Amino acid sequence: MRSKHLIIAAPLVLGVMLGGCALTPRDLPVVAPPPHFDDIPPNWAEAVPADTIPRGPWWYAFNDAVLNDLELRADAASPTLAAALARRDEARAVLGETRADLVPEVDAVGSAERQRVAKDRPQSQGYAVTGNNYVLGAQLNYEVDLWGRVRNEVRAARSEERATEADLASVKLSLQASVADAYVRLRGLDAEQDLLVRSVDAFTKAYNLTRTRHIGGVGTALDENRALTVLGNARALSVDVTDQRNRTEHELAALVGALSSGFKVAPVGQVTQAPAVPVSTPSTLLQRRPDIAAAERRVAESNARIGAAHAALFPTITLGLAGGFNTTGPALLSQQNTTWALGPLGFNLPIFDGGRRLSAVRLARAQFDENAANYRNTVITAFREVEDSLTDARDLAREVTEQQIAVKAAQATTKLSLIRYREGASNYLEVVTAQTDELNSERSLLAVQTRVSQASVSIVRALGGPVNERPAGS
């Protein structure tokens, strides 16, 4: 009799012993940030967790009402954002479903039947019996989570829910940055189109001058054709810029969840001015980037699934409890008709499954290693993107300065060449060359200024949002 008690108690003792053991032994990966970004002086403060802080309307820094409206439309109607929101809601539902396994399941049961029992049944009285049977009650089922399988499944589901929350923030930030980037490019094309319109007007006047001089016998057909060539090239560029603007406008329509037909953004003949974007520290970046947060939480999720897979190797213990009323007559709820049952206490110990559970453990470990590698790659990529954005912002600012000098010199050269041509000191080839250089220089300046604004957007995207949105007291 004593040996029987030991056999029954053995799983419980083992459960108590193993209940305190960690079935999720993997350490989360650590990627040490550099002390500072290469393009930022090492003057920084300790980082605080910030991936859940709302990014806020960071695009307000551009001080553009049209951009503000486009961002609000994208937030309300973008199908990409709606899909990410649905994935977050799916993860929340899975978490709720998984968490329900932590508590007993209670079900109401009931039945009503009329049956006839044959007279030749075992232990028969020698006659058939026909009667009614009514049952009303409740039953409870509960899995005793000794090994932490359910708890680890809940931890995994919670980590996935938090990861999808970070995914949603990442998609939203990416969408906002994409809208801002497309809008900045659109305004750059507007400014270029305005430049080409003015250039076509100037080249038309120059062409009329050469044609008049040719007719008057002062100029030549060669000068007239050269002027017409410059004018034709400018007109062709204008058509090309119009096509680029239409495509960019269609891109904006898709980003804000609208059809391209009927979607219009009124042109403005100037480049969007780039706002100053404050930059924080590398350690803060690890806390702010939602994609880094999502990758880290998926590592935690896979770690919890290792524990759940380990727990499946141990016995499953379930407890049942039922009670209610059972009668053959109409008095169903009378006291004499109550029934109850404690149990069954179920015990299921896996002995042979062809290696299925061990393969599940190996699968969980491999998934952990994969997610850990993805986490490291996400962190490394984040630092690279920030360094690239900062380098672009620095170099583009210098490029703008140099290009402005080139534009001023090209404009002065064009004026001098026209004066020399009118005075007969040079042929029109000198004017054509100067006009072409001036147009190319001005187009290059607009392109660089547009890239400066794009770099500001890239910095916000790379940093995981504006760094001035900080927790209280930080």
Side-chain angles (χ1 to χ4, degrees):
M1 195 69 181
R2 183 178 181 184
S3 61
K4 292 182 179 179
H5 288 172
L6 290 176
I7 292 174
I8 295 174
L12 300 178
V13 173
L14 184 61
V16 173
M17 293 174 61
L18 292 179
C21 298
L23 298 182
T24 54
R26 297 299 179 96
D27 294 327
L28 300 183
V30 176
V31 181
H36 61 87
F37 295 116
D38 288 343
D39 290 284
I40 299 297
N43 180 20
W44 51 279
E46 183 179 356
V48 293
D51 68 278
T52 58
I53 293 177
R55 269 64 186 168
W58 54 267
W59 55 89
Y60 280 10
F62 285 91
N63 194 27
D64 193 308
V66 178
L67 176 59
N68 297 344
D69 178 67
L70 291 172
E71 293 286 2
L72 293 177
R73 292 177 64 178
D75 186 70
S78 169
T80 302
L81 188 59
L85 181 62
R87 287 192 294 271
R88 192 278 311 274
D89 292 341
E90 290 171 12
R92 285 185 175 178
V94 170
L95 174 59
E97 185 180 21
T98 307
R99 188 184 286 142
D101 290 336
L102 291 171
V103 297
E105 179 180 348
V106 180
D107 300 315
V109 296
S111 65
E113 64 177 341
R114 182 174 177 80
Q115 64 179 357
R116 181 179 184 276
V117 182
K119 69 177 182 178
D120 295 330
R121 69 188 184 280
Q123 299 178 349
S124 171
Q125 300 288 333
Y127 53 87
V129 177
T130 300
N132 300 326
N133 185 33
Y134 303 97
V135 176
L136 179 63
Q139 63 183 20
L140 177 148
N141 294 292
Y142 178 61
E143 178 181 343
V144 183
D145 191 29
L146 291 177
W147 328 111
R149 183 191 68 81
V150 176
R151 294 193 298 275
N152 277 307
E153 290 287 358
V154 171
R155 292 190 188 101
R158 184 180 295 113
S159 294
E160 175 61 20
E161 187 269 338
R162 295 178 64 205
T164 56
E165 188 74 41
D167 287 340
L168 176 61
S170 184
V171 169
K172 181 175 290 189
L173 177 62
S174 179
L175 175 65
Q176 294 168 348
S178 296
V179 171
D181 183 85
Y183 181 78
V184 165
R185 286 187 281 114
L186 186 77
R187 290 314 186 200
L189 292 170
D190 284 346
E192 187 175 2
Q193 187 65 271
D194 182 73
L195 168 65
L196 289 170
V197 168
R198 289 185 281 108
S199 298
V200 166
D201 181 65
F203 295 163
T204 300
K205 293 177 180 178
Y207 168 71
N208 291 334
L209 173 64
T210 58
R211 189 168 183 274
T212 300
R213 289 170 65 89
H214 180 208
I215 294 173
V218 179
T220 65
L222 185 62
D223 291 342
E224 183 180 347
N225 288 335
R226 283 170 175 164
L228 184 59
T229 299
V230 174
L231 176 59
N233 288 336
R235 287 172 174 169
L237 284 174
S238 179
V239 174
D240 181 69
V241 170
T242 298
D243 179 69
Q244 292 183 51
R245 189 189 191 280
N246 289 336
R247 290 178 178 272
T248 305
E249 196 172 53
H250 298 164
E251 179 185 347
L252 268 174
L255 288 171
V256 302
L259 296 176
S260 299
S261 301
F263 179 86
K264 298 296 179 183
V265 178
V268 177
Q270 60 183 13
V271 175
T272 300
Q273 297 300 313
V277 179
V279 179
S280 60
T281 71
S283 56
T284 302
L285 176 67
L286 289 176
Q287 305 295 334
R288 294 187 56 80
R289 287 268 298 224
D291 57 339
I292 293 179
E296 186 273 335
R297 286 159 188 169
R298 287 196 166 93
V299 174
E301 175 191 356
S302 57
N303 195 43
R305 296 205 184 280
I306 293 176
H310 271 296
L313 299 173
F314 299 99
T316 300
I317 299 175
T318 57
L319 175 64
L321 177 65
F325 303 88
N326 186 2
T327 183
T328 59
L332 177 63
L333 303 181
S334 63
Q335 183 177 3
Q336 291 78 7
N337 296 326
T338 58
T339 64
W340 61 269
L342 179 60
L345 178 62
F347 175 80
N348 184 5
L349 175 64
I351 296 177
F352 176 76
D353 61 3
R356 180 172 60 86
R357 288 176 175 83
L358 289 176
S359 295
V361 173
R362 287 192 290 269
L363 174 63
R365 289 172 174 171
Q367 290 173 337
F368 175 90
D369 293 338
E370 178 186 1
N371 286 327
N374 289 338
Y375 170 76
R376 292 188 67 253
N377 183 63
T378 302
V379 172
I380 292 171
T381 300
F383 284 124
R384 178 185 63 80
E385 289 175 351
V386 173
E387 293 287 6
D388 287 348
S389 299
L390 294 176
T391 300
D392 285 346
R394 178 200 63 194
D395 293 342
L396 287 171
R398 294 170 52 192
E399 189 174 350
V400 166
T401 301
E402 298 298 333
Q403 194 62 44
Q404 287 172 336
I405 296 174
V407 167
K408 291 180 180 179
Q411 290 172 341
T413 301
T414 299
K415 291 179 181 179
L416 290 174
S417 64
L418 283 171
I419 293 173
R420 284 170 53 82
Y421 174 72
R422 289 191 182 96
E423 293 176 352
S426 66
N427 58 28
Y428 202 74
L429 178 60
E430 184 177 291
V431 177
V432 168
T433 302
Q435 288 177 330
T436 303
D437 289 344
E438 179 184 358
L439 179 59
N440 290 337
S441 295
E442 291 181 333
R443 291 181 66 211
S444 296
L445 177 60
L446 292 176
V448 175
Q449 290 173 334
T450 299
R451 290 173 60 196
V452 170
S453 296
Q454 287 181 274
S456 297
V457 176
S458 295
I459 290 175
V460 173
R461 189 203 305 258
L463 292 174
V467 299
N468 56 328
E469 297 285 342
R470 301 301 298 273
S474 61

